Amino acid sequence: MKNEILDTIKHIKLRPKMYFWSDGTFHSYIVYFQGFFFSVGLCYNLDFEREISRWYQKRVKFKAPNMVWFDQFEHINKDFIEEEKIKKFLDTLEEFFESYDFKNYTLI
């Protein structure tokens, strides 16, 4: 599954209009990935949003463990323009999934 997720992120980077044909705003990316993580959670019992939040907390100065990860990311990167936010968002997701250990995941 890890490779498929990384392939999807890379494909979105290369061909964003295939996923966000009418609205390529940062908000659209958030909604897409919220749905994606929710679907994965239902099918595989993986809480990616929680895992990303834990991972992200270790890498940023603004600590907000009870804040939804997407909101925390948006707050930290609020000064960037849309394109920069989207690029950084996809890069962050790619970095997370490249380092994520699916084998040792336990639902807490």
Side-chain angles (χ1 to χ4, degrees):
M1 177 179 3
K2 179 179 182 173
N3 290 334
E4 288 83 359
I5 294 170
L6 286 168
D7 288 345
T8 300
I9 293 169
K10 290 174 184 174
H11 195 254
I12 289 171
K13 284 180 170 183
L14 291 173
R15 314 248 351 229
K17 290 292 183 187
M18 289 185 72
Y19 296 83
F20 312 102
W21 56 273
S22 68
D23 180 11
T25 64
F26 180 68
H27 180 65
S28 295
Y29 284 75
I30 297 286
V31 170
Y32 176 84
F33 278 99
Q34 282 177 327
F36 179 77
F37 293 155
F38 183 76
S39 297
V40 169
L42 286 176
C43 295
Y44 298 101
N45 204 25
L46 295 168
D47 190 349
F48 279 136
E49 195 169 337
R50 176 177 279 196
E51 291 299 306
I52 291 171
S53 182
R54 286 183 189 150
W55 174 84
Y56 196 64
Q57 292 298 317
K58 297 174 187 173
R59 288 162 175 73
V60 295
K61 292 180 184 177
F62 175 69
K63 307 290 183 196
N66 294 323
M67 186 181 235
V68 174
W69 176 76
F70 296 106
D71 292 333
Q72 181 183 10
F73 181 89
E74 190 167 14
H75 177 77
I76 290 170
N77 297 288
K78 66 183 176 230
D79 295 332
F80 289 106
I81 62 171
E82 285 282 300
E83 292 81 19
E84 291 171 332
K85 258 195 262 191
I86 291 167
K87 181 183 179 339
K88 190 167 183 178
F89 178 71
L90 293 174
D91 289 346
T92 301
L93 288 175
E94 194 170 20
E95 184 182 344
F96 168 76
F97 283 109
E98 285 173 346
S99 67
Y100 188 71
D101 183 7
F102 282 86
K103 294 177 184 166
N104 291 321
Y105 175 80
T106 55
L107 188 62
I108 296 175

